[in-house]
Amino acid sequence: MNETERLISPEDVRHVARLARLALDDDEIGRYASQLSAILEHVDAVRRLDTANVPPTAHPFPVENVFREDAVTASLDRATVLAQAPLAESDCFQVPRIMGEAP
Amino acid sequence: MTASRAPEFGSLVEIAASVRSGERSARAVLAQSLDRVRVLEGDLHCFNEVTVEEAEADADAVDRKVRSGLDPGPLAGVPVALKDNLCTVGVPTTCSSKILKGWLPPYDATVVSRLRRAGALPIGKTNLDEFAMGSSTENSAFGPTRNPWDITRVPGGSSGGSAAAVASGMVPLSFGSDTGGSIRQPAALCGIVGVKPTYGVVSRYGLIAFASSLDQIGPFATTVADAALGLEVVAGHDPMDSTSLERPAPSLLASLGAGVSGLRIGIVDDFLSDVSPECGAAVIAAAEALATVGAEVDRVKIPELLLGLPAYYLIAPAEASSNLSRYDGVRYGLRVDGPDAETMNARTRGEGFGPEVKRRIMIGTYALSAGYYDAYYGQAQKARTIVIRAFEAAYRNFDVLLTPTTPSVAFPFGSKVDDPIEMYLCDLCSIPSSLAGHPAASVPFALSPDGLPIGVQVLAPALGEVPMMRVAASLEQAAPPEARGPVTP
């Protein structure tokens, strides 16, 4: 196994896929392990950069808080929005159960 | 190479003047556009959806205004194509992704409403690399777009459909989005003009987000003047986008004739060894042409710009992994069921996203995850600062910089799609100005020995659109006319 393949293991891919809520099959896990390793190797110049005294940039221009008048304006129509949902009921988006049974 | 010259529409100003005066109906201009789409769409696949009925209704509204003595606006009767990541009420907006198939946006992007208010006629939604991630349109879930100069080659991406629609003469104007080069690279590969404005000049409201600190909307056209007018119409502050700059739209069209006399123009040396000889030679020839019409031209080394590519491929995926978390199977688009919410989310995303989108979500999630944030995302943000400072230093001596737009001419289908890093290198020259939020334009300037178009990129500091477009206009005058579209495949 060369160094590239060691950067990201299939276990790492499974962990990241879980964090990202992506269901991947075994083929994908193997492929992404080698591709992500190669990409990380390619961006290694950034990791090794001497950045002492360099501040980070999150946005091209200074972003200040934007205020507007506290005025009531129309919002999107609820029925129009819910009509786009895969599943809706009683004016709500419907999702599978997110909590278990009480013990 | 089999492409031949295509019929042209005339300039946007000419189209609008003839429609406003009643000499030509908006319906007639639209028919020219839709006829061209009918003939070529089977070969090129520029569109995910052509909205014939909506466009005809818009054209009729323009014609009614003219008959009533009202002014329909500066783009009266101009057919326009919209990248399919710009929201359009009641018209599917897919980002060329299965995960949004069938979704009908409940609102229009600001760009779309401004175009319609100016009298333009949106004719459809153009193909792209899924969620604007790619440089060839091969990442579209609905199949690639082909380059009208050679249909065995890619049109570039991610805004490949918008570029090919203009380059094949289907429309005189289209819009795309550019995060790391997605307007400029396809413009170069298709032999047309593409402009990425300064970040914040055009509202992002209704542009489906990829990387929010980088995304900008901009025009494609066959001439610099048409791109300038297209940009003027959509630019300007929008309260719906809190990052939109509090400034009026720049006045570009009127300044194009001012020439380049006295402008200080720098040829960025650092990319020239990394691009094909013909792409490098075009930049040198472009600089010589500008010198003969009065610009002061010199070479400049800015090696920090080479940090742009690796920094971008951490920052953009990090922002994307956050932005794309909204596709969870709950509120819109695809849903693949599961026994619990987390499984439903993961199955929906696993099935709905294509390979490149998943790859970027994974890189971004990794770069932001505990233990790696400082080493990758944090370092990339600092590299971004280094790129911005290097530009600042260069712009003390130069008004405008020149680089190749792309490392090569249009490449054959399949030649890079299995190697992510090869594909990412397409953006080498376009990424640095994206990280800085600066404007950039690609102008067709030469043809390769194979007869494929080559673009030259003009860079300027923030809000430097006026000198940038003056230089672009001078380059256009010096370029051989056969180097630009529209062409018939």
Side-chain angles (χ1 to χ4, degrees), chain A residues 18 20-21 23 28 32 35 40 46-47 49 51 55 57 59-61 84-86 94, chain B residues 103-104 199 213 330-332 335 341-342 346 349 355 358-359 362 366 379 381 385 389 421:
Chain A
R18 166 84 209 286
R21 301 288 187 274
E28 288 178 304
Y32 285 136
Q35 288 178 341
L40 288 180
V46 168
R47 195 178 56 83
L49 204 59
T51 54
T57 299
H59 199 270
F61 305 122
Q84 297 299 317
Q94 206 181 342
Chain B
W103 179 58
L104 299 174
Y199 184 89
S213 81
V330 174
R331 287 153 297 169
Y332 30 65
R335 169 145 167 183
E342 188 180 323
R349 293 160 62 79
K358 288 184 202 172
R359 197 149 43 228
M362 303 270 291
Y366 182 80
Q379 280 288 94
Q381 288 187 306
T385 306
R389 287 177 176 176
I421 292 170

mmCIF file of all heavy atoms in Angstrom, chain A residues 18 20-21 23 28 32 35 40 46-47 49 51 55 57 59-61 84-86 94, chain B residues 103-104 199 213 330-332 335 341-342 346 349 355 358-359 362 366 379 381 385 389 421:
data_model
loop_
_atom_site.group_PDB
_atom_site.id
_atom_site.type_symbol
_atom_site.label_atom_id
_atom_site.label_comp_id
_atom_site.label_asym_id
_atom_site.label_seq_id
_atom_site.Cartn_x
_atom_site.Cartn_y
_atom_site.Cartn_z
ATOM 1 N N ARG A 18 -21.134 8.890 6.799
ATOM 2 C CA ARG A 18 -22.143 8.939 7.870
ATOM 3 C C ARG A 18 -22.393 10.384 8.285
ATOM 4 O O ARG A 18 -23.527 10.839 8.414
ATOM 5 C CB ARG A 18 -21.658 8.091 9.050
ATOM 6 C CG ARG A 18 -22.379 8.278 10.350
ATOM 7 C CD ARG A 18 -23.656 7.435 10.437
ATOM 8 N NE ARG A 18 -24.661 8.074 11.289
ATOM 9 C CZ ARG A 18 -24.581 8.113 12.611
ATOM 10 N NH1 ARG A 18 -23.588 7.535 13.238
ATOM 11 N NH2 ARG A 18 -25.529 8.722 13.312
ATOM 12 N N ALA A 20 -21.983 12.973 6.496
ATOM 13 C CA ALA A 20 -22.602 13.692 5.374
ATOM 14 C C ALA A 20 -23.956 13.111 4.996
ATOM 15 O O ALA A 20 -24.588 13.592 4.061
ATOM 16 C CB ALA A 20 -21.672 13.665 4.162
ATOM 17 N N ARG A 21 -24.416 12.087 5.736
ATOM 18 C CA ARG A 21 -25.689 11.422 5.409
ATOM 19 C C ARG A 21 -25.734 10.998 3.944
ATOM 20 O O ARG A 21 -26.612 11.392 3.190
ATOM 21 C CB ARG A 21 -26.881 12.353 5.704
ATOM 22 C CG ARG A 21 -26.984 12.808 7.144
ATOM 23 C CD ARG A 21 -27.431 11.666 8.057
ATOM 24 N NE ARG A 21 -27.692 12.129 9.412
ATOM 25 C CZ ARG A 21 -26.762 12.242 10.376
ATOM 26 N NH1 ARG A 21 -25.500 11.929 10.128
ATOM 27 N NH2 ARG A 21 -27.092 12.659 11.579
ATOM 28 N N ALA A 23 -25.612 7.473 1.738
ATOM 29 C CA ALA A 23 -25.555 6.015 1.676
ATOM 30 C C ALA A 23 -24.684 5.625 0.493
ATOM 31 O O ALA A 23 -24.989 5.993 -0.639
ATOM 32 C CB ALA A 23 -26.971 5.443 1.513
ATOM 33 N N GLU A 28 -18.380 2.189 -4.163
ATOM 34 C CA GLU A 28 -18.171 3.622 -3.986
ATOM 35 C C GLU A 28 -17.173 3.887 -2.859
ATOM 36 O O GLU A 28 -16.320 4.774 -2.967
ATOM 37 C CB GLU A 28 -19.500 4.319 -3.670
ATOM 38 C CG GLU A 28 -20.454 4.403 -4.853
ATOM 39 C CD GLU A 28 -21.780 5.053 -4.470
ATOM 40 O OE1 GLU A 28 -22.446 4.567 -3.535
ATOM 41 O OE2 GLU A 28 -22.157 6.043 -5.099
ATOM 42 N N TYR A 32 -13.911 6.016 -3.543
ATOM 43 C CA TYR A 32 -13.713 7.309 -2.886
ATOM 44 C C TYR A 32 -12.479 7.291 -1.982
ATOM 45 O O TYR A 32 -11.812 8.310 -1.818
ATOM 46 C CB TYR A 32 -14.968 7.730 -2.108
ATOM 47 C CG TYR A 32 -16.083 8.214 -3.010
ATOM 48 C CD1 TYR A 32 -17.404 7.824 -2.817
ATOM 49 C CD2 TYR A 32 -15.806 9.075 -4.079
ATOM 50 C CE1 TYR A 32 -18.415 8.256 -3.647
ATOM 51 C CE2 TYR A 32 -16.815 9.514 -4.922
ATOM 52 C CZ TYR A 32 -18.120 9.099 -4.695
ATOM 53 O OH TYR A 32 -19.123 9.533 -5.529
ATOM 54 N N GLN A 35 -9.717 8.022 -4.444
ATOM 55 C CA GLN A 35 -9.833 9.349 -5.062
ATOM 56 C C GLN A 35 -9.651 10.470 -4.043
ATOM 57 O O GLN A 35 -8.968 11.461 -4.316
ATOM 58 C CB GLN A 35 -11.185 9.497 -5.761
ATOM 59 C CG GLN A 35 -11.271 8.664 -7.044
ATOM 60 C CD GLN A 35 -12.621 8.771 -7.716
ATOM 61 O OE1 GLN A 35 -13.604 9.170 -7.079
ATOM 62 N NE2 GLN A 35 -12.681 8.414 -8.987
ATOM 63 N N LEU A 40 -6.529 14.845 -1.619
ATOM 64 C CA LEU A 40 -5.878 15.429 -0.435
ATOM 65 C C LEU A 40 -4.368 15.566 -0.649
ATOM 66 O O LEU A 40 -3.756 16.530 -0.186
ATOM 67 C CB LEU A 40 -6.172 14.591 0.806
ATOM 68 C CG LEU A 40 -7.607 14.700 1.323
ATOM 69 C CD1 LEU A 40 -7.786 13.821 2.551
ATOM 70 C CD2 LEU A 40 -7.990 16.143 1.652
ATOM 71 N N VAL A 46 -1.314 23.319 0.538
ATOM 72 C CA VAL A 46 -2.041 24.229 1.424
ATOM 73 C C VAL A 46 -1.837 23.831 2.886
ATOM 74 O O VAL A 46 -1.606 24.672 3.752
ATOM 75 C CB VAL A 46 -3.544 24.231 1.057
ATOM 76 C CG1 VAL A 46 -4.369 24.916 2.128
ATOM 77 C CG2 VAL A 46 -3.743 24.906 -0.294
ATOM 78 N N ARG A 47 -1.874 22.539 3.142
ATOM 79 C CA ARG A 47 -1.724 22.068 4.521
ATOM 80 C C ARG A 47 -0.340 22.424 5.063
ATOM 81 O O ARG A 47 -0.188 22.770 6.230
ATOM 82 C CB ARG A 47 -1.945 20.552 4.583
ATOM 83 C CG ARG A 47 -2.172 20.002 5.987
ATOM 84 C CD ARG A 47 -2.433 18.500 5.967
ATOM 85 N NE ARG A 47 -1.374 17.744 5.328
ATOM 86 C CZ ARG A 47 -0.241 17.365 5.948
ATOM 87 N NH1 ARG A 47 -0.036 17.678 7.203
ATOM 88 N NH2 ARG A 47 0.672 16.685 5.280
ATOM 89 N N LEU A 49 1.576 24.909 4.154
ATOM 90 C CA LEU A 49 1.895 26.331 4.004
ATOM 91 C C LEU A 49 2.226 26.980 5.348
ATOM 92 O O LEU A 49 1.565 26.709 6.345
ATOM 93 C CB LEU A 49 0.662 27.002 3.403
ATOM 94 C CG LEU A 49 0.771 28.284 2.619
ATOM 95 C CD1 LEU A 49 1.692 28.097 1.419
ATOM 96 C CD2 LEU A 49 -0.633 28.669 2.137
ATOM 97 N N THR A 51 1.642 29.715 7.567
ATOM 98 C CA THR A 51 0.598 30.737 7.635
ATOM 99 C C THR A 51 0.650 31.510 8.948
ATOM 100 O O THR A 51 -0.355 32.082 9.370
ATOM 101 C CB THR A 51 -0.806 30.118 7.473
ATOM 102 O OG1 THR A 51 -0.949 29.083 8.449
ATOM 103 C CG2 THR A 51 -1.005 29.546 6.085
ATOM 104 N N PRO A 55 -4.194 35.987 8.564
ATOM 105 C CA PRO A 55 -5.569 35.754 9.018
ATOM 106 C C PRO A 55 -6.365 34.980 7.960
ATOM 107 O O PRO A 55 -6.054 35.053 6.767
ATOM 108 C CB PRO A 55 -6.136 37.168 9.178
ATOM 109 C CG PRO A 55 -5.350 38.002 8.213
ATOM 110 C CD PRO A 55 -3.987 37.373 8.110
ATOM 111 N N THR A 57 -9.537 34.109 5.452
ATOM 112 C CA THR A 57 -10.578 34.839 4.716
ATOM 113 C C THR A 57 -11.747 33.900 4.502
ATOM 114 O O THR A 57 -11.595 32.847 3.885
ATOM 115 C CB THR A 57 -10.068 35.305 3.339
ATOM 116 O OG1 THR A 57 -8.968 36.193 3.535
ATOM 117 C CG2 THR A 57 -11.159 36.031 2.553
ATOM 118 N N HIS A 59 -14.729 35.249 3.322
ATOM 119 C CA HIS A 59 -15.614 35.924 2.383
ATOM 120 C C HIS A 59 -14.804 36.996 1.670
ATOM 121 O O HIS A 59 -13.936 37.606 2.291
ATOM 122 C CB HIS A 59 -16.759 36.564 3.183
ATOM 123 C CG HIS A 59 -17.940 36.895 2.344
ATOM 124 N ND1 HIS A 59 -18.080 38.112 1.729
ATOM 125 C CD2 HIS A 59 -19.019 36.167 1.984
ATOM 126 C CE1 HIS A 59 -19.214 38.107 1.032
ATOM 127 N NE2 HIS A 59 -19.795 36.951 1.177
ATOM 128 N N PRO A 60 -15.050 37.226 0.359
ATOM 129 C CA PRO A 60 -14.176 38.150 -0.376
ATOM 130 C C PRO A 60 -14.196 39.585 0.157
ATOM 131 O O PRO A 60 -13.195 40.296 0.037
ATOM 132 C CB PRO A 60 -14.698 38.086 -1.815
ATOM 133 C CG PRO A 60 -16.006 37.411 -1.759
ATOM 134 C CD PRO A 60 -16.001 36.560 -0.544
ATOM 135 N N PHE A 61 -15.316 40.032 0.692
ATOM 136 C CA PHE A 61 -15.393 41.406 1.200
ATOM 137 C C PHE A 61 -15.880 41.367 2.640
ATOM 138 O O PHE A 61 -16.543 40.424 3.031
ATOM 139 C CB PHE A 61 -16.352 42.242 0.349
ATOM 140 C CG PHE A 61 -15.992 42.229 -1.105
ATOM 141 C CD1 PHE A 61 -16.897 41.790 -2.053
ATOM 142 C CD2 PHE A 61 -14.725 42.613 -1.524
ATOM 143 C CE1 PHE A 61 -16.542 41.746 -3.395
ATOM 144 C CE2 PHE A 61 -14.371 42.572 -2.856
ATOM 145 C CZ PHE A 61 -15.277 42.151 -3.795
ATOM 146 N N GLN A 84 -44.670 20.903 -3.009
ATOM 147 C CA GLN A 84 -43.395 20.403 -3.522
ATOM 148 C C GLN A 84 -42.802 19.304 -2.642
ATOM 149 O O GLN A 84 -41.813 18.679 -3.005
ATOM 150 C CB GLN A 84 -42.378 21.553 -3.613
ATOM 151 C CG GLN A 84 -42.784 22.635 -4.592
ATOM 152 C CD GLN A 84 -42.920 22.086 -5.997
ATOM 153 O OE1 GLN A 84 -42.100 21.311 -6.449
ATOM 154 N NE2 GLN A 84 -43.986 22.479 -6.687
ATOM 155 N N ALA A 85 -43.377 19.084 -1.481
ATOM 156 C CA ALA A 85 -42.806 18.110 -0.555
ATOM 157 C C ALA A 85 -43.129 16.693 -1.010
ATOM 158 O O ALA A 85 -44.225 16.427 -1.511
ATOM 159 C CB ALA A 85 -43.353 18.335 0.844
ATOM 160 N N PRO A 86 -42.188 15.763 -0.837
ATOM 161 C CA PRO A 86 -42.483 14.368 -1.172
ATOM 162 C C PRO A 86 -43.671 13.832 -0.373
ATOM 163 O O PRO A 86 -44.450 13.031 -0.875
ATOM 164 C CB PRO A 86 -41.191 13.624 -0.796
ATOM 165 C CG PRO A 86 -40.125 14.662 -0.769
ATOM 166 C CD PRO A 86 -40.798 15.939 -0.378
ATOM 167 N N GLN A 94 -43.940 15.715 6.249
ATOM 168 C CA GLN A 94 -43.998 14.444 6.970
ATOM 169 C C GLN A 94 -42.670 13.707 6.831
ATOM 170 O O GLN A 94 -42.145 13.588 5.726
ATOM 171 C CB GLN A 94 -45.137 13.591 6.421
ATOM 172 C CG GLN A 94 -45.658 12.606 7.439
ATOM 173 C CD GLN A 94 -46.775 11.749 6.875
ATOM 174 O OE1 GLN A 94 -47.383 12.080 5.861
ATOM 175 N NE2 GLN A 94 -47.037 10.638 7.534
ATOM 176 N N TRP B 103 -38.945 19.321 -9.388
ATOM 177 C CA TRP B 103 -39.191 20.439 -8.455
ATOM 178 C C TRP B 103 -39.605 21.699 -9.217
ATOM 179 O O TRP B 103 -39.005 22.044 -10.238
ATOM 180 C CB TRP B 103 -37.924 20.731 -7.643
ATOM 181 C CG TRP B 103 -38.091 21.888 -6.692
ATOM 182 C CD1 TRP B 103 -39.014 22.008 -5.695
ATOM 183 C CD2 TRP B 103 -37.312 23.080 -6.654
ATOM 184 N NE1 TRP B 103 -38.857 23.196 -5.031
ATOM 185 C CE2 TRP B 103 -37.816 23.873 -5.605
ATOM 186 C CE3 TRP B 103 -36.228 23.563 -7.408
ATOM 187 C CZ2 TRP B 103 -37.292 25.134 -5.282
ATOM 188 C CZ3 TRP B 103 -35.696 24.806 -7.088
ATOM 189 C CH2 TRP B 103 -36.220 25.581 -6.037
ATOM 190 N N LEU B 104 -40.628 22.384 -8.715
ATOM 191 C CA LEU B 104 -41.072 23.643 -9.317
ATOM 192 C C LEU B 104 -40.810 24.770 -8.332
ATOM 193 O O LEU B 104 -41.452 24.823 -7.287
ATOM 194 C CB LEU B 104 -42.565 23.572 -9.654
ATOM 195 C CG LEU B 104 -42.969 22.489 -10.662
ATOM 196 C CD1 LEU B 104 -44.490 22.423 -10.802
ATOM 197 C CD2 LEU B 104 -42.324 22.757 -12.023
ATOM 198 N N TYR B 199 -17.787 39.822 -7.141
ATOM 199 C CA TYR B 199 -18.722 39.223 -6.191
ATOM 200 C C TYR B 199 -19.622 40.315 -5.609
ATOM 201 O O TYR B 199 -19.128 41.341 -5.130
ATOM 202 C CB TYR B 199 -17.950 38.526 -5.072
ATOM 203 C CG TYR B 199 -18.839 37.792 -4.106
ATOM 204 C CD1 TYR B 199 -19.198 36.477 -4.330
ATOM 205 C CD2 TYR B 199 -19.337 38.430 -2.981
ATOM 206 C CE1 TYR B 199 -20.028 35.809 -3.456
ATOM 207 C CE2 TYR B 199 -20.171 37.774 -2.095
ATOM 208 C CZ TYR B 199 -20.518 36.459 -2.337
ATOM 209 O OH TYR B 199 -21.350 35.807 -1.469
ATOM 210 N N SER B 213 -19.575 31.874 -0.907
ATOM 211 C CA SER B 213 -18.628 32.987 -0.885
ATOM 212 C C SER B 213 -17.947 33.168 -2.239
ATOM 213 O O SER B 213 -17.119 34.066 -2.395
ATOM 214 C CB SER B 213 -17.580 32.789 0.217
ATOM 215 O OG SER B 213 -16.549 31.910 -0.195
ATOM 216 N N VAL B 330 -36.975 15.849 2.543
ATOM 217 C CA VAL B 330 -38.101 16.287 3.369
ATOM 218 C C VAL B 330 -38.956 17.342 2.665
ATOM 219 O O VAL B 330 -40.173 17.201 2.566
ATOM 220 C CB VAL B 330 -37.601 16.843 4.722
ATOM 221 C CG1 VAL B 330 -38.765 17.440 5.521
ATOM 222 C CG2 VAL B 330 -36.910 15.751 5.531
ATOM 223 N N ARG B 331 -38.323 18.397 2.147
ATOM 224 C CA ARG B 331 -39.110 19.550 1.708
ATOM 225 C C ARG B 331 -39.367 19.617 0.209
ATOM 226 O O ARG B 331 -40.309 20.241 -0.238
ATOM 227 C CB ARG B 331 -38.437 20.846 2.172
ATOM 228 C CG ARG B 331 -38.602 21.062 3.656
ATOM 229 C CD ARG B 331 -37.487 21.890 4.214
ATOM 230 N NE ARG B 331 -36.219 21.196 4.065
ATOM 231 C CZ ARG B 331 -35.049 21.766 4.273
ATOM 232 N NH1 ARG B 331 -34.973 23.023 4.620
ATOM 233 N NH2 ARG B 331 -33.932 21.069 4.122
ATOM 234 N N TYR B 332 -38.467 19.019 -0.588
ATOM 235 C CA TYR B 332 -38.659 19.058 -2.046
ATOM 236 C C TYR B 332 -37.823 17.971 -2.686
ATOM 237 O O TYR B 332 -36.918 17.412 -2.075
ATOM 238 C CB TYR B 332 -38.242 20.422 -2.630
ATOM 239 C CG TYR B 332 -37.147 21.129 -1.874
ATOM 240 C CD1 TYR B 332 -35.871 20.597 -1.792
ATOM 241 C CD2 TYR B 332 -37.397 22.329 -1.201
ATOM 242 C CE1 TYR B 332 -34.869 21.224 -1.089
ATOM 243 C CE2 TYR B 332 -36.394 22.970 -0.490
ATOM 244 C CZ TYR B 332 -35.138 22.416 -0.443
ATOM 245 O OH TYR B 332 -34.147 23.039 0.267
ATOM 246 N N ARG B 335 -37.224 11.587 -2.743
ATOM 247 C CA ARG B 335 -37.189 10.958 -1.424
ATOM 248 C C ARG B 335 -37.127 9.454 -1.606
ATOM 249 O O ARG B 335 -37.922 8.898 -2.367
ATOM 250 C CB ARG B 335 -38.450 11.315 -0.651
ATOM 251 C CG ARG B 335 -38.645 10.515 0.634
ATOM 252 C CD ARG B 335 -39.284 11.411 1.625
ATOM 253 N NE ARG B 335 -39.817 10.797 2.790
ATOM 254 C CZ ARG B 335 -40.463 11.517 3.708
ATOM 255 N NH1 ARG B 335 -40.682 12.804 3.522
ATOM 256 N NH2 ARG B 335 -40.906 10.957 4.783
ATOM 257 N N ALA B 341 -35.549 8.540 10.007
ATOM 258 C CA ALA B 341 -35.254 9.758 9.251
ATOM 259 C C ALA B 341 -33.825 9.754 8.713
ATOM 260 O O ALA B 341 -33.577 10.121 7.565
ATOM 261 C CB ALA B 341 -35.486 10.987 10.141
ATOM 262 N N GLU B 342 -32.880 9.314 9.549
ATOM 263 C CA GLU B 342 -31.487 9.348 9.106
ATOM 264 C C GLU B 342 -31.248 8.426 7.912
ATOM 265 O O GLU B 342 -30.553 8.797 6.956
ATOM 266 C CB GLU B 342 -30.547 8.981 10.259
ATOM 267 C CG GLU B 342 -29.096 9.194 9.869
ATOM 268 C CD GLU B 342 -28.122 8.838 10.977
ATOM 269 O OE1 GLU B 342 -28.436 9.097 12.151
ATOM 270 O OE2 GLU B 342 -27.046 8.311 10.651
ATOM 271 N N ALA B 346 -30.051 9.558 4.145
ATOM 272 C CA ALA B 346 -28.842 9.008 3.522
ATOM 273 C C ALA B 346 -29.162 8.285 2.216
ATOM 274 O O ALA B 346 -28.434 8.412 1.231
ATOM 275 C CB ALA B 346 -28.134 8.074 4.500
ATOM 276 N N ARG B 349 -29.995 10.904 -0.501
ATOM 277 C CA ARG B 349 -28.798 11.597 -0.990
ATOM 278 C C ARG B 349 -27.888 10.642 -1.768
ATOM 279 O O ARG B 349 -27.279 11.021 -2.763
ATOM 280 C CB ARG B 349 -28.076 12.238 0.194
ATOM 281 C CG ARG B 349 -28.886 13.374 0.808
ATOM 282 C CD ARG B 349 -28.456 13.709 2.232
ATOM 283 N NE ARG B 349 -27.080 14.168 2.313
ATOM 284 C CZ ARG B 349 -26.678 15.397 2.007
ATOM 285 N NH1 ARG B 349 -27.544 16.294 1.573
ATOM 286 N NH2 ARG B 349 -25.408 15.755 2.117
ATOM 287 N N PRO B 355 -21.811 11.050 -8.908
ATOM 288 C CA PRO B 355 -20.493 10.765 -8.320
ATOM 289 C C PRO B 355 -19.675 12.012 -7.966
ATOM 290 O O PRO B 355 -19.030 12.038 -6.917
ATOM 291 C CB PRO B 355 -19.774 9.963 -9.417
ATOM 292 C CG PRO B 355 -20.815 9.533 -10.365
ATOM 293 C CD PRO B 355 -22.014 10.397 -10.194
ATOM 294 N N LYS B 358 -21.153 13.786 -4.847
ATOM 295 C CA LYS B 358 -20.824 13.025 -3.634
ATOM 296 C C LYS B 358 -19.360 13.220 -3.258
ATOM 297 O O LYS B 358 -19.018 13.383 -2.087
ATOM 298 C CB LYS B 358 -21.089 11.534 -3.861
ATOM 299 C CG LYS B 358 -22.557 11.168 -3.925
ATOM 300 C CD LYS B 358 -22.671 9.652 -4.049
ATOM 301 C CE LYS B 358 -24.000 9.257 -4.634
ATOM 302 N NZ LYS B 358 -24.076 7.836 -4.940
ATOM 303 N N ARG B 359 -18.491 13.188 -4.277
ATOM 304 C CA ARG B 359 -17.057 13.350 -4.018
ATOM 305 C C ARG B 359 -16.797 14.689 -3.325
ATOM 306 O O ARG B 359 -16.068 14.775 -2.346
ATOM 307 C CB ARG B 359 -16.320 13.305 -5.363
ATOM 308 C CG ARG B 359 -14.851 13.059 -5.275
ATOM 309 C CD ARG B 359 -14.326 12.301 -6.497
ATOM 310 N NE ARG B 359 -14.850 12.752 -7.766
ATOM 311 C CZ ARG B 359 -15.340 11.951 -8.707
ATOM 312 N NH1 ARG B 359 -15.339 10.655 -8.565
ATOM 313 N NH2 ARG B 359 -15.817 12.450 -9.840
ATOM 314 N N MET B 362 -18.023 14.802 0.195
ATOM 315 C CA MET B 362 -17.116 14.036 1.074
ATOM 316 C C MET B 362 -15.847 14.833 1.389
ATOM 317 O O MET B 362 -15.408 14.867 2.544
ATOM 318 C CB MET B 362 -16.729 12.717 0.399
ATOM 319 C CG MET B 362 -17.906 11.861 0.021
ATOM 320 S SD MET B 362 -18.391 10.731 1.309
ATOM 321 C CE MET B 362 -17.023 9.660 1.279
ATOM 322 N N TYR B 366 -15.014 16.115 5.110
ATOM 323 C CA TYR B 366 -13.733 15.729 5.727
ATOM 324 C C TYR B 366 -12.948 16.969 6.165
ATOM 325 O O TYR B 366 -12.457 17.041 7.296
ATOM 326 C CB TYR B 366 -12.919 14.912 4.724
ATOM 327 C CG TYR B 366 -11.592 14.417 5.248
ATOM 328 C CD1 TYR B 366 -11.513 13.287 6.061
ATOM 329 C CD2 TYR B 366 -10.407 15.079 4.930
ATOM 330 C CE1 TYR B 366 -10.300 12.826 6.535
ATOM 331 C CE2 TYR B 366 -9.183 14.625 5.406
ATOM 332 C CZ TYR B 366 -9.134 13.493 6.213
ATOM 333 O OH TYR B 366 -7.928 13.049 6.683
ATOM 334 N N GLN B 379 -6.441 26.221 6.934
ATOM 335 C CA GLN B 379 -5.275 26.559 6.120
ATOM 336 C C GLN B 379 -5.701 27.109 4.756
ATOM 337 O O GLN B 379 -5.083 28.046 4.231
ATOM 338 C CB GLN B 379 -4.394 25.321 5.917
ATOM 339 C CG GLN B 379 -3.490 25.006 7.077
ATOM 340 C CD GLN B 379 -2.333 26.008 7.182
ATOM 341 O OE1 GLN B 379 -2.437 26.991 7.917
ATOM 342 N NE2 GLN B 379 -1.258 25.768 6.460
ATOM 343 N N GLN B 381 -8.376 28.773 4.066
ATOM 344 C CA GLN B 381 -8.843 30.156 4.241
ATOM 345 C C GLN B 381 -7.667 31.128 4.345
ATOM 346 O O GLN B 381 -7.751 32.275 3.920
ATOM 347 C CB GLN B 381 -9.683 30.266 5.510
ATOM 348 C CG GLN B 381 -11.044 29.622 5.402
ATOM 349 C CD GLN B 381 -11.854 29.919 6.640
ATOM 350 O OE1 GLN B 381 -11.412 29.659 7.756
ATOM 351 N NE2 GLN B 381 -13.035 30.485 6.469
ATOM 352 N N THR B 385 -6.292 34.273 1.793
ATOM 353 C CA THR B 385 -5.762 35.597 2.144
ATOM 354 C C THR B 385 -4.467 35.875 1.382
ATOM 355 O O THR B 385 -4.259 36.993 0.888
ATOM 356 C CB THR B 385 -5.486 35.661 3.664
ATOM 357 O OG1 THR B 385 -6.672 35.284 4.361
ATOM 358 C CG2 THR B 385 -5.051 37.059 4.082
ATOM 359 N N ARG B 389 -3.811 39.018 -1.100
ATOM 360 C CA ARG B 389 -2.725 39.986 -0.882
ATOM 361 C C ARG B 389 -1.803 40.060 -2.099
ATOM 362 O O ARG B 389 -1.301 41.136 -2.440
ATOM 363 C CB ARG B 389 -1.929 39.596 0.358
ATOM 364 C CG ARG B 389 -2.685 39.877 1.647
ATOM 365 C CD ARG B 389 -1.867 39.401 2.839
ATOM 366 N NE ARG B 389 -2.520 39.747 4.089
ATOM 367 C CZ ARG B 389 -2.062 39.390 5.282
ATOM 368 N NH1 ARG B 389 -0.949 38.647 5.374
ATOM 369 N NH2 ARG B 389 -2.698 39.748 6.375
ATOM 370 N N ILE B 421 -8.712 14.971 -10.555
ATOM 371 C CA ILE B 421 -7.691 16.015 -10.474
ATOM 372 C C ILE B 421 -7.418 16.620 -11.850
ATOM 373 O O ILE B 421 -7.287 17.838 -11.993
ATOM 374 C CB ILE B 421 -6.415 15.461 -9.821
ATOM 375 C CG1 ILE B 421 -6.732 15.172 -8.342
ATOM 376 C CG2 ILE B 421 -5.257 16.451 -9.921
ATOM 377 C CD1 ILE B 421 -5.665 14.410 -7.621
#
